[in-house]
Amino acid sequence: PEFPAEIVRVVSNVPGAGGLERAAQAGIATATIDHRDFEDRETFEDALQAALEADEVELVCLAGFMRLLTKDFVDRWHDRMINIHPSLLPSYKGLHTHERVLEDGVRFTGCTVHFVRAEMDAGPIIVQAAVAVHADDDSDTLASRVLTAEHRCYPLALELVAGGRTRVVENRVEIDGASAPQPIHLNPDDGAA
């Protein structure tokens, strides 16, 4: 979805992050709140919360944010903070996802956009995309294909949430007007289907 630059903010905890430059080139306001400038997680999160409130932020979209947030911070943004993870959650939470998928011989992986909860890589699922694992994949080739899927999933999830089409009911996301694809996908595909 296209959102006017004046209603979007990009905040990073890493000075010089690539997303800051891309946002600035698009005319989007940016800020850096370096977590290393704070004595603990709580004071960092207080500064982050103050910046988000000052900008009247309504929805937080995490991307490449590789820090665990405290329960207090996550609870402040209950059902108003989303994240993307490079697996079909709840499988393969945490780091080194693609390596673990390959080690286990999984035939499909993918990505998940979800509402954030205090537990790592947990929360009601908004959008998922399945990606086939190829016999000749290594973690880099697999990561590249999953990233392509992420670039489709995140904008869709943002459109659904920001457009008011989602609601969380008993830890599941209901989406107005959405339907699931019907075909069955096999891997490997022997071509007989």
Side-chain angles (χ1 to χ4, degrees), residues 2-77:
E2 293 285 329
F3 293 99
E6 62 271 9
I7 69 165
V8 177
R9 300 290 180 265
V10 173
V11 179
S12 176
N13 66 313
V14 178
L20 294 170
E21 182 180 333
R22 289 184 68 190
Q25 290 172 352
I28 296 171
T30 65
T32 300
I33 303 172
D34 190 340
H35 62 277
R36 295 170 292 194
D37 293 341
F38 298 89
E39 64 186 50
D40 57 32
R41 187 177 310 272
E42 289 77 15
T43 55
F44 162 69
E45 289 177 357
D46 288 345
L48 181 57
Q49 180 71 23
L52 296 172
E53 288 175 356
D55 284 338
E56 299 178 358
V57 169
E58 296 177 25
L59 178 65
V60 174
C61 305
L62 302 173
F65 189 80
M66 302 301 288
R67 294 185 57 78
L68 293 176
L69 295 164
T70 65
K71 182 177 182 344
D72 286 342
F73 186 85
V74 170
D75 287 349
R76 291 182 213 169
W77 292 94

Side-chain angles (χ1 to χ4, degrees), residues 4 13-14 47 60 64 69 97 120 125 129 140 149-150 162 167 188 191:
N13 66 313
V14 178
V60 174
L69 295 164
T97 304
M120 181 180 64
I125 294 169
D140 292 333
E150 290 181 34
R167 68 189 157 283

